[in-house]
Amino acid sequence: MDYNSMIQNSKVEFGQMLPGTFLIGLLSAFENRFQTVADSFFEEITWKQFFAIICINLCKESPTINELSEIMASSHQNVKQILIKLEKKGFVKMMVDERDKRKQRIVLTKKCDDFCKRNDQESAIRMNQMFEDISEEQLITTIHTIIQMEKNLRKH
């Protein structure tokens, strides 16, 4: 969707909408469109499942569900459901923590590693396409803006 033409569209009235309000709507709409496109990219898993895998890979040690929930900025229940589906597909294993038997750690399987290696190059190509004609300076400004929005959200 071309937002420049949407703003000019006679079917939509943005009126005196503040830029911040417009940005929140824009981010929400983008997230929906991105998830739809990303879900069609992989046959085996959804975007949210792949995002969980990315977040697990970011961890220095196998995370617990609570740790992963915090990284993903999602509820324990939502992350647990994602992990159950990934476990059924053979992408993760839930292992009892050796230091604290009450905790479960999430471990990626060989099947998951193979999947990531198989899709790594195509994923990189698609990400590069999405950021085509966007300068590094623009990306850094956007990152800083969203980080500040997140800080403000947590304050209030």
Side-chain angles (χ1 to χ4, degrees):
M1 171 162 298
D2 178 6
Y3 285 100
N4 288 327
S5 63
M6 180 190 247
I7 291 170
Q8 307 301 321
N9 186 336
S10 62
K11 295 180 182 178
V12 179
E13 178 60 52
F14 291 101
Q16 298 299 316
M17 184 181 289
L18 297 172
T21 304
F22 184 78
L23 177 61
I24 293 297
L26 192 63
L27 289 170
S28 295
F30 175 80
E31 179 186 12
N32 291 337
R33 271 190 295 287
F34 176 78
Q35 186 170 345
T36 299
V37 169
D39 279 349
S40 69
F41 180 62
F42 301 118
E43 291 179 19
E44 299 169 78
I45 61 174
T46 66
W47 162 248
K48 287 190 179 190
Q49 291 167 349
F50 187 58
F51 181 60
I53 291 168
I54 292 168
C55 292
I56 293 166
N57 270 321
L58 292 174
C59 297
K60 292 179 182 176
E61 70 172 320
S62 299
T64 64
I65 296 173
N66 284 338
E67 291 166 345
L68 186 59
S69 297
E70 191 170 316
I71 293 165
M72 292 178 67
S74 189
S75 72
H76 181 278
Q77 295 85 349
N78 286 344
V79 172
K80 178 81 172 174
Q81 290 304 309
I82 290 168
L83 293 172
I84 287 169
K85 290 173 184 168
L86 283 172
E87 190 170 38
K88 284 180 183 175
K89 294 175 183 184
F91 282 75
V92 300
K93 276 184 158 181
M94 304 297 281
M95 310 288 283
V96 175
D97 185 299
E98 293 180 11
R99 295 178 300 244
D100 185 344
K101 303 290 183 207
R102 297 169 294 173
K103 294 180 181 178
Q104 284 189 317
R105 298 236 169 239
I106 306 149
V107 180
L108 299 175
T109 64
K110 182 173 179 352
K111 180 179 181 177
C112 184
D113 290 339
D114 292 345
F115 172 85
C116 289
K117 286 176 188 164
R118 230 180 18 255
N119 290 286
D120 188 45
Q121 187 176 3
E122 187 65 27
S123 293
I125 289 168
R126 290 193 181 223
M127 279 298 191
N128 288 336
Q129 288 171 340
M130 189 168 46
F131 293 107
E132 199 171 282
D133 298 325
I134 300 173
S135 71
E136 187 173 334
E137 181 182 349
Q138 289 172 308
L139 286 172
I140 290 169
T141 299
T142 303
I143 290 166
H144 287 298
T145 301
I146 292 173
I147 287 171
Q148 186 60 50
M149 289 168 60
E150 176 77 20
K151 285 179 186 175
N152 293 344
L153 188 64
R154 289 176 188 249
K155 263 195 297 193
H156 305 286

